[in-house]
Amino acid sequence: MPEADLLAQSDTVVSDPEEVSLVLAAKPASRGRVIWRRLQHTPRFWIGAVVLVLFVLWAVFGQLLTQWSPTDQDVDNMNYPPTILHWFGTDILGHDLFSQIVSGLQKSLIIGFIAGPASTLIAGVLGATAGYLGGWGEKTIAWVIDLLLVLPAFFILILLYPFTKGSWVVMMIFLAVTGWMIMAQVIRNQTRSLREREFVKAARYMGFGTWSVVRRHIIPNVASLLIIDATLGIAAMILAETSLSFFGFGVQPPAVSLGTLLADGQSAATTRPWLFLFPAGTLILLLLAISLVGDALRDAIDPTSGVNRA
């Protein structure tokens, strides 16, 4: 490996000749270790990660902190502001808002952590396969991608709403299969350049099949893009589910989500602000935490991305 590459992998600035020789003599760190070292020195990564972990713990153990379930009604304290008995207040029917937010947060995290990576997986497989095949195979997959990109994903999800039958699990599947097209285009373009590289040609000449080459040689070389897309896709899927539920095309009563809570509380945002501010604050902080982690991960994988944005 050239000396310049070895020095580029070191995070320490060295000027003394002896220190330079020590750096060159040291075994170069793996890519994963270099990325982790960069993340360790990125404050926004730690802020986002800590907040995200707290949200996950809240979603998992939050119901243990209150005596109320999302469907319980306290008829003696209906439409009450936050109190010792109801930390986030109650709605017009006496439902405990804290418990309902925990229930909605659970659905949001499940949908985000499953639908986001699943969408990225579809994009990686189809994009890499299309870029590697070329010819009619690539044209067919590209035609499907372009056709799906003509209609906004949100509009497609609204059209598919009758088939969900009110199930948020089915909606999660629909979110995954309608959110992969843009990244698939990116992966296809990257693969078209990779398929002419020597290691890909060597694998093809050795008799490896299409899927074997894609799985062993193409996808690992675009893994950085996929990791970033999967991370940011979590926030995108949470926001998509919230938007659908807000407009009545997602989670349906008696189940609750952050979107349904926002829809119920928007009319009372000025008169009973707790009904709107607590769900909105939860959603904003959750999306901000995921975005901070994704942004830090992008800069750690590609240090030039921050320079390009500046």
Side-chain angles (χ1 to χ4, degrees):
M1 181 178 292
E3 294 182 355
D5 292 343
L6 287 175
L7 287 173
Q9 290 188 7
S10 176
D11 291 344
T12 305
V13 178
V14 292
S15 57
D16 185 78
E18 294 183 359
E19 294 182 2
V20 173
S21 61
L22 290 176
V23 172
L24 295 177
K27 183 179 179 181
S30 64
R31 179 169 174 79
R33 185 171 297 178
V34 171
I35 293 173
W36 173 241
R37 189 182 302 137
R38 292 170 182 161
L39 287 175
Q40 286 180 313
H41 295 85
T42 307
R44 65 180 181 278
F45 167 76
W46 291 109
I47 294 173
V50 169
V51 174
L52 182 57
V53 169
L54 290 177
F55 270 115
V56 172
L57 293 176
W58 184 22
V60 174
F61 302 106
Q63 293 291 356
L64 301 178
L65 302 177
T66 177
Q67 60 179 318
W68 307 98
S69 73
T71 57
D72 287 343
Q73 292 179 272
D74 186 358
V75 295
D76 297 325
N77 296 282
M78 295 188 297
N79 216 21
Y80 259 58
T83 62
I84 297 298
L85 187 60
H86 299 282
W87 296 345
F88 288 179
T90 59
D91 61 13
I92 195 172
L93 298 177
H95 295 128
D96 182 72
L97 191 59
F98 177 89
S99 181
Q100 290 197 324
I101 289 178
V102 170
S103 179
L105 184 61
Q106 291 172 349
K107 294 183 182 65
S108 294
L109 289 175
I110 292 174
I111 290 173
F113 279 101
I114 294 179
S119 177
T120 299
L121 178 63
I122 296 173
V125 172
L126 291 182
T129 302
Y132 176 74
L133 287 176
W136 286 105
E138 180 181 8
K139 290 181 180 179
T140 302
I141 298 177
W143 178 81
V144 174
I145 294 174
D146 292 337
L147 178 64
L148 294 176
L149 284 175
V150 170
L151 293 174
F154 192 80
F155 183 66
I156 297 176
L157 290 167
I158 291 177
L159 294 178
L160 293 174
Y161 168 71
F163 300 97
T164 65
K165 297 181 179 180
S167 171
W168 64 271
V169 176
V170 177
M171 181 185 63
M172 176 178 65
I173 297 174
F174 285 164
L175 284 170
V177 300
T178 56
W180 54 270
M181 289 82 72
I182 296 178
M183 179 51 59
Q185 288 279 44
V186 175
I187 298 300
R188 180 170 71 95
N189 293 332
Q190 291 288 326
T191 305
R192 292 174 68 179
S193 63
L194 286 173
R195 71 186 180 190
E196 302 301 327
R197 300 282 293 273
E198 289 77 7
F199 63 90
V200 175
K201 290 182 178 180
R204 186 164 59 245
Y205 292 152
M206 291 175 65
F208 287 99
T210 299
W211 172 239
S212 181
V213 174
V214 169
R215 179 172 56 87
R216 295 183 179 184
H217 300 285
I218 301 297
I219 291 182
N221 279 277
V222 295
S224 299
L225 290 173
L226 297 176
I227 292 173
I228 296 171
D229 182 70
T231 304
L232 298 177
I234 294 173
M237 292 300 171
I238 292 175
L239 185 59
E241 180 276 323
T242 302
S243 301
L244 288 171
S245 298
F246 181 85
F247 290 108
F249 297 102
V251 176
Q252 298 297 313
V256 295
S257 77
L258 295 178
T260 60
L261 293 175
L262 288 172
D264 294 339
Q266 65 167 339
S267 60
T270 56
T271 57
R272 301 184 300 277
W274 65 89
L275 295 178
F276 182 81
L277 293 181
F278 283 117
T282 300
L283 178 63
I284 291 173
L285 289 176
L286 176 60
L287 295 180
L288 179 60
I290 298 174
S291 298
L292 287 175
V293 173
D295 189 62
L297 186 60
R298 176 177 55 193
D299 288 349
I301 292 176
D302 181 13
T304 63
S305 60
V307 176
N308 294 336
R309 291 198 305 273

